Amino acid sequence: SQKIEQNSEALNIQEGKTATLTCNYTNYSPAYLQWYRQDPGRGPVFLLLIRENEKEKRKERLKVTFDTTLKQSLFHITASQPADSATYLCALDRDGGSQGNLIFGKGTKLSVKP
Amino acid sequence: GAVVSQHPSWVICKSGTSVKIECRSLDFQATTMFWYRQFPKQSLMLMATSNEGSKATYEQGVEKDKFLINHASLTLSTLTVTSAHPEDSSFYICSARAPSRVISTLHFGNGTRLTVT
């Protein structure tokens, strides 16, 4: 069965450091992968999307990589700030289409300490 | 743009009663909306896909007679939890897909915290 795993339930880092979150998947060949941010008691907010033919995508202090051989995506936040503290979710489309039917990882809760 | 409003943000109800949750796309038309539930420290679990003007598609294990979904217009989908029980207590979140996008990113509501006493 299709699985998507975010190995770390929680990640604690010091302000200014780079946070690196991991997303792995099995039994799957997604056309693209997405990352979302979720704050406590709120719905997720879309951050970045990376396609299978893209190695890397950047948006301000965020960087996402996508290795289809390793079946892995890495999500980096450089120069992290306490305001970056949140849960980050990776998501894949379930049926290879573009209908928005996504499967989500459990998320990694990032805490950035001042 | 692409704002999804979900109401109420929290609700407490007694066991056996029904609760309706609304999900509205405020500035775009959403032909498809999704309903999820999320337990603490768990992933978003898709409950059903709601398509405007047709019956919802439920995920395996989700009782369609218990979780009634209506998508009567391009901007509104509702989830009604019927005969609620304490085990239905959870965080329910809706999302909408903007139809103009080739690849679908989802726009989420802020969720509804349901507590059944």
Side-chain angles (χ1 to χ4, degrees):
Chain A
S1 61
Q2 296 168 343
K3 276 189 179 180
I4 179 168
E5 292 180 343
Q6 293 183 250
N7 297 340
S8 298
E9 187 174 310
L11 178 64
N12 300 312
I13 64 168
Q14 204 67 33
E15 182 175 9
K17 301 291 185 184
T18 296
T20 299
L21 286 63
T22 305
C23 177
N24 294 290
Y25 58 92
T26 56
N27 297 326
Y28 207 56
S29 296
Y32 56 92
L33 183 146
Q34 304 183 33
W35 284 89
Y36 289 78
R37 169 182 173 144
Q38 186 176 22
D39 289 285
R42 308 296 289 265
V45 174
F46 170 74
L47 295 176
L48 279 170
L49 178 151
I50 185 165
R51 300 169 192 252
E52 61 177 340
N53 60 351
E54 296 176 317
K55 295 292 186 187
E56 183 180 295
K57 201 79 168 280
R58 290 176 184 261
K59 179 182 176 183
E60 297 173 354
R61 293 185 295 110
L62 308 180
K63 184 178 84 171
V64 172
T65 62
F66 194 9
D67 188 324
T68 55
T69 302
L70 291 178
K71 294 186 180 294
Q72 181 181 82
S73 175
L74 299 179
F75 177 80
H76 306 272
I77 305 176
T78 58
S80 60
Q81 304 166 1
D84 295 326
S85 299
T87 296
Y88 292 87
L89 309 170
C90 64
L92 298 169
D93 62 291
R94 282 180 150 207
D95 50 17
S98 58
Q99 300 306 307
N101 194 346
L102 301 181
I103 179 172
F104 288 85
K106 287 185 179 181
T108 296
K109 183 176 181 180
L110 174 67
S111 296
V112 181
K113 305 296 183 186
Chain B
V3 176
V4 174
S5 173
Q6 190 172 340
H7 179 80
S9 56
W10 60 270
V11 57
I12 301 173
C13 71
K14 291 189 175 180
S15 190
T17 61
S18 295
V19 173
K20 180 186 281 189
I21 302 170
E22 292 188 348
C23 181
R24 294 181 185 271
S25 56
L26 297 186
D27 52 1
F28 67 101
Q29 293 183 330
T31 54
T32 304
M33 290 186 175
F34 302 91
W35 287 95
Y36 305 82
R37 65 188 296 181
Q38 187 177 33
F39 292 105
K41 297 187 178 181
Q42 296 297 313
S43 179
L44 291 159
M45 297 302 297
L46 181 66
M47 298 175 66
T49 302
S50 171
N51 296 301
E52 186 267 337
S54 63
K55 290 184 179 180
T57 304
Y58 289 82
E59 294 300 301
Q60 192 172 9
V62 177
E63 299 176 58
K64 62 180 180 181
D65 293 330
K66 180 167 185 64
F67 299 100
L68 300 178
I69 291 173
N70 185 287
H71 194 154
S73 76
L74 285 171
T75 59
L76 174 64
S77 176
T78 61
L79 168 68
T80 301
V81 183
T82 62
S83 188
H85 290 284
E87 57 264 31
D88 298 325
S89 299
S90 188
F91 191 53
Y92 293 85
I93 311 176
C94 70
S95 70
R97 168 184 169 264
S100 61
R101 292 187 175 273
V102 176
I103 292 180
S104 292
T105 57
L106 296 180
H107 308 287
F108 286 85
N110 273 327
T112 298
R113 172 74 57 193
L114 171 63
T115 302
V116 185
T117 61

